[in-house]
Amino acid sequence: QVHLVDSGGDSVQAGMSLRLSCAVDGWAESRTCMGWFREAPGKEREGVASISSDGDIQYYTDSVKGRFTISQDNAKNTLYLQMRDLKPEDTALYLCAAGPGTFCSDAYRAMRRTWYDYWGKGTQVTVSS
């Protein structure tokens, strides 16, 4: 069993930065792919970024490339999402997720919620113009 607690969301103005954190309990490093997803009102949950357990493989959705960075601190069992130059369209509930690592090298699957077994409850990010 893996338990995830995400935090760091806030209300900010466009152009500002935020860093989201996801504390992971029960994380078996060698078997886990981690990801950040977001859910805006009236929209489906979409993959934002993913990272393999060794950190070597990362994927980002096109709209955040160059602005968001996913990372992890294995010693602290924590996943991060550094968000820069935030835009109003980034407004959403952000959720961290974990799943078996076998799909993490596949860009299509790594960004799809289907493959993730464990989820945080989410942290709200609101960006005003």
Side-chain angles (χ1 to χ4, degrees):
Q1 188 74 16
V2 178
H3 183 58
L4 308 176
V5 178
D6 28 36
S7 62
D10 204 349
S11 295
V12 298
Q13 291 188 325
M16 295 184 68
S17 299
L18 279 176
R19 188 177 77 161
L20 306 183
S21 298
C22 176
V24 186
D25 181 42
W27 178 14
E29 178 183 341
S30 62
R31 297 183 285 108
T32 300
C33 183
M34 300 292 295
W36 284 100
F37 287 72
R38 64 186 179 186
E39 198 169 279
K43 296 185 177 180
E44 292 190 1
R45 188 174 299 183
E46 68 165 341
V48 176
S50 66
I51 187 169
S52 58
S53 57
D54 60 7
D56 288 346
I57 301 173
Q58 300 178 17
Y59 295 113
Y60 297 88
T61 192
D62 287 345
S63 63
V64 308
K65 286 180 180 177
R67 299 189 298 121
F68 290 12
T69 303
I70 189 171
S71 64
Q72 58 195 6
D73 185 331
N74 292 339
K76 295 182 179 180
N77 279 352
T78 303
L79 177 74
Y80 301 102
L81 184 68
Q82 178 68 51
M83 305 186 293
R84 298 180 177 87
D85 190 22
L86 283 160
K87 305 176 184 299
E89 51 265 40
D90 295 319
T91 295
L93 181 70
Y94 284 73
L95 308 98
C96 61
T102 55
F103 66 93
C104 220
S105 60
D106 183 294
Y108 179 82
R109 290 190 289 171
M111 299 296 279
R112 296 294 182 277
R113 61 182 298 180
T114 305
W115 300 92
Y116 291 84
D117 295 335
Y118 306 101
W119 293 85
K121 292 184 178 181
T123 185
Q124 180 67 37
V125 173
T126 303
V127 185
S128 58
S129 57

